[in-house]
Amino acid sequence: MAASSGYPALAELKGRDFLSSTDASAEQTAALLQLAADLKAGRTRIDLAGRTLGLIFSKASTRTRVSFTVAMARLGGQTIDLNPQVSQVGRGEPVADTARVLSRYVDALAIRTFAQEELAEYAHWASIPVINALTDLEHPCQALADFLTLQEAFGALPGLTLSYVGDGNNVAHSLMLCGALLGVNVRVGCPKGYEPDAAVLQQAQQLAGDRCAIEVLHEPVAAVRGSHALYTDVWASMGQEEEKAERERAFAGWCLNEELVAEADPRAIVLHCLPAYRGLEISAGAMEGSNSRIFDQAENRLHAQQALLAALLGGTKGATNSP
């Protein structure tokens, strides 16, 4: 087994936090996707034996929790679940104290919480990499898996168009930012009043420059026409359950269904970050149809997070190519 070039673009990510899609440059983001593809295909091996990832999840999770746990195991490391319900994290211990103590026990933290400010506070006090495993503002690990799935379907990413239809939420934010870095046009289609955060939209548009277009549209067919990927998410995210009925009324006509798929590029793929509610934000036909790559997308959380962990923990320098 011969040594690889070590993915030099990722060297500067060692020891860094990943709180936002913008915490990696355009070159680094593309390199993360390449490393993820290589790990998935078995072309590259990385050894993080003896390293431990701590998980602090204040929100429910299936894919994020399992994919991080398995990703770390496949890299030779281990994971410890620091569930706030069974640790001092959930009993009011200051973040400053928790972060400093955990930095002496584990090698990285993946945190899934509500406020981006809490995540930033952990990163401020921790001396180890802190990873955004979802906040109300962003879901950058999901975006890496999403664009890996798009890359698998079409090869080169620049010039493609991804249409997200639904609530302008954390997933929409990370899709816009990551798409801007990768040169992918991103259209967010949503009812008026449910647009992405204006500051995030402006940031994404500035990042995109003249490489691609990041835009918000308020008509479903216009949002998806000619696109290479159609993407949706739940209309009421965690913490918005009381708004469910109101949101269902507001999003009437925004279901990602076969009619919308027919307006896209004939090769278009259908994506959803899950969990999905068939008959609400996505039809059963679109979810289970031949265009769907939803379960490939879910699997790619594992591979994208392997690549991210390897980069942040310095494992890419010792990467080896499989014969």
Side-chain angles (χ1 to χ4, degrees):
M1 187 175 289
S4 77
S5 60
Y7 303 88
L10 299 178
E12 290 186 5
L13 289 180
K14 180 181 178 181
R16 297 257 301 272
D17 299 317
F18 190 68
L19 310 185
S20 165
S21 292
T22 59
D23 283 332
S25 68
E27 182 183 15
Q28 290 165 341
T29 303
L32 283 170
L33 297 187
Q34 183 57 56
L35 176 55
D38 290 343
L39 288 164
K40 182 176 182 177
R43 292 187 292 265
T44 297
R45 291 187 61 187
I46 289 174
D47 185 8
L48 292 182
R51 307 291 188 89
T52 301
L53 170 68
L55 301 180
I56 300 177
F57 281 24
S58 299
K59 286 188 173 187
S61 172
T62 299
R63 279 151 293 279
T64 302
R65 184 186 300 276
V66 175
S67 58
F68 265 117
T69 302
V70 176
M72 200 63 183
R74 288 196 178 184
L75 294 169
Q78 60 184 337
T79 305
I80 181 168
D81 191 345
L82 301 163
N83 186 332
Q85 304 308 314
V86 295
S87 70
Q88 301 292 353
V89 173
R91 296 185 61 208
E93 184 174 26
V95 167
D97 296 352
T98 301
R100 285 181 288 182
V101 169
L102 293 178
S103 294
R104 301 188 181 211
Y105 294 153
V106 302
D107 300 283
L109 288 171
I111 299 175
R112 184 178 179 94
T113 190
F114 293 88
Q116 185 81 8
E117 292 76 15
E118 181 182 351
L119 184 74
E121 187 177 5
Y122 269 104
H124 174 77
W125 290 105
S127 56
I128 55 175
V130 173
I131 300 168
N132 183 346
L134 180 144
T135 64
D136 289 345
L137 184 66
E138 274 205 61
H139 199 356
C141 292
Q142 179 67 56
L144 287 176
D146 300 336
F147 286 103
L148 176 59
T149 310
L150 191 60
Q151 181 173 277
E152 288 175 340
F154 292 96
L157 288 172
L160 296 178
T161 298
L162 181 151
S163 291
Y164 171 95
V165 291
D167 185 33
N169 61 12
N170 49 3
V171 172
H173 292 162
S174 290
L175 287 172
M176 292 191 301
L177 294 169
C178 196
L181 291 169
L182 294 167
V184 176
N185 303 305
V186 178
R187 300 178 195 154
V188 174
C190 60
K192 290 184 178 180
Y194 293 90
E195 296 87 353
D197 180 84
V200 176
L201 174 62
Q202 182 179 28
Q203 182 184 17
Q205 290 173 332
Q206 289 174 344
L207 279 173
D210 58 4
R211 290 181 302 168
C212 57
I214 311 295
E215 56 187 332
V216 175
L217 301 172
H218 294 108
E219 200 283 316
V221 173
V224 305
R225 186 173 287 127
S227 290
H228 301 95
L230 306 184
Y231 194 130
T232 192
D233 188 11
V234 296
W235 292 337
S237 298
M238 285 177 282
Q240 298 174 332
E241 288 80 6
E242 292 182 359
E243 303 173 28
K244 184 174 183 292
E246 177 185 343
R247 284 173 170 266
E248 287 181 14
R249 288 191 294 271
F251 282 91
W254 285 91
C255 178
L256 177 51
N257 55 26
E258 294 89 328
E259 287 74 20
L260 284 186
V261 173
E263 297 288 341
D265 186 283
R267 303 166 294 165
I269 62 173
V270 172
L271 302 173
H272 193 306
C273 54
L274 300 176
Y277 297 93
R278 293 162 176 80
L280 288 178
E281 77 275 1
I282 191 168
S283 69
M287 178 108 181
E288 305 294 348
S290 59
N291 301 78
S292 177
R293 298 293 182 275
I294 291 170
F295 295 99
D296 294 332
Q297 175 190 9
E299 178 190 339
N300 283 339
R301 292 292 304 279
L302 167 63
H303 307 300
Q305 286 159 198
Q306 280 192 84
L308 180 63
L309 289 165
L312 299 184
L313 293 174
T316 57
K317 186 176 181 180
T320 55
N321 291 336
S322 296

